[in-house]
Amino acid sequence: MLTMLALLMSLTSGTTLAASGEDVDVELVLAVDVSGSMDIEEAQIQRAGYVDALRHAEFINAVRDGLTGRIAITYFEWAGTVRDSSHIPWQIISGPDDANAFAALLEARPIATRRGTSISSAIAYGAKLFDANSYSGMRRVIDVSGDGPNNFGPPVTPARDAANALGIVINGLAIMIRPSAAYGSLDDYYANCVIGGPGAFVLPVQEPEDFAIAIRRKLILEVSGAEPPARIVPVAGSDVDCLIGERLRPSNMDRYYPELDR
């Protein structure tokens, strides 16, 4: 079982905190779910939503309206593990040309899904990326999209808490187009088990046509630092089982929680 201390050590081991570099309003990591529960149609809609959001005038205006008028952004895809080949390196966005260039890199990537859903691995991978850049952001944010609970690798809440302890905010996009009754309401799970940090929020997506709007809305909130409307921030402490994904995948539970009475 990985403790909070072990996760904190894993997030910082082998790296040194980057020296203060170019000032930006936010350092933003886009961590995008490509697990097998995302069929190709959903994956294509998700990809198009990110590409369209990055190119949208409202997003670019939100970037320009910041204190420095620029952000640093990076992207990777995750499933049961994270492949380095899915990582698009850090880039500054300060206007439409930068945004179009980053969107084009994303648009050109092949779309494929893989097995497993390890939100914990996505958070740990994303947290390490901040130490690999040369930017100094007023905020550090990991933006996690997903369509199911953590069911592979370490449990998610210690990973979230370890990232939060480093000053990283985690926001979520809960994809609920094909919800499963087995684990309940995914946006509640994200609200209680995944997101964290000052102003953290989760947005649900329940229809394919809502993808692009939800992604754009989330990116604008993250870039601007504005407080999200209260209605999209569920009350903390509700009765949500943060190990529901592991319970539905006993082999993973046995590996990380062998002593737990189930």
Side-chain angles (χ1 to χ4, degrees):
M1 171 179 170
L2 292 183
T3 64
M4 169 77 78
L5 178 60
L7 275 162
L8 279 169
M9 292 176 65
S10 73
L11 292 184
T12 56
S13 64
T15 63
T16 56
L17 293 177
S20 295
E22 184 177 357
D23 289 335
V24 294
D25 291 307
V26 61
E27 299 168 59
L28 179 60
V29 173
L30 303 180
V32 176
D33 182 7
V34 293
S35 60
S37 55
M38 293 278 291
D39 62 32
I40 292 299
E41 179 186 8
E42 284 181 314
Q44 290 172 334
I45 293 171
Q46 179 178 235
R47 172 71 60 79
Y50 277 100
V51 170
D52 291 347
L54 290 164
R55 288 174 169 159
H56 201 280
E58 290 180 5
F59 167 72
I60 295 167
N61 289 338
V63 171
R64 286 175 159 174
D65 287 344
L67 188 63
T68 69
R70 57 185 176 267
I71 69 168
I73 192 169
T74 188
Y75 170 101
F76 69 88
E77 295 170 346
W78 60 273
T81 57
V82 179
R83 290 180 180 171
D84 289 336
S85 60
S86 74
H87 178 218
I88 297 177
W90 287 99
Q91 179 180 313
I92 289 286
I93 291 181
S94 60
D97 290 344
D98 300 329
N100 281 328
F102 192 84
L105 290 174
L106 177 54
E107 191 172 35
R109 284 194 49 77
I111 296 177
T113 59
R114 293 183 281 112
R115 296 180 61 186
T117 300
S118 185
I119 304 172
S120 56
S121 295
I123 291 173
Y125 186 94
K128 288 184 177 181
L129 293 178
F130 292 107
D131 294 334
N133 71 34
S134 58
Y135 305 113
S136 179
M138 289 177 279
R139 291 175 291 116
R140 288 180 163 187
V141 178
I142 299 176
D143 173 336
V144 180
S145 72
D147 75 338
N150 193 78
N151 66 16
F152 195 86
V156 66
T157 51
R160 174 201 62 192
D161 295 342
N164 289 166
L166 296 174
I168 299 167
V169 174
I170 302 170
N171 295 326
L173 185 73
I175 302 168
M176 303 165 64
I177 295 175
R178 296 179 178 86
S180 170
Y183 51 74
S185 180
L186 186 64
D187 53 348
D188 285 344
Y189 174 87
Y190 261 68
N192 289 276
C193 309
V194 178
I195 69 170
F201 64 91
V202 57
L203 285 175
V205 177
Q206 296 171 316
E207 301 293 339
E209 57 267 26
D210 294 338
F211 242 116
I213 295 173
I215 291 171
R216 182 169 75 244
R217 184 183 180 198
K218 186 154 66 72
L219 291 184
I220 290 170
L221 287 170
E222 289 164 338
V223 166
S224 66
E227 288 292 323
R231 68 181 180 84
I232 66 170
V233 184
V235 177
S238 63
D239 187 18
V240 174
D241 182 2
C242 291
L243 291 174
I244 185 62
E246 287 84 351
R247 295 186 200 282
L248 294 172
R249 188 169 185 154
S251 60
N252 194 69
M253 178 70 86
D254 291 340
R255 179 178 178 185
Y256 289 96
Y257 279 92
E259 77 286 2
L260 189 62
D261 181 9
R262 301 187 296 279

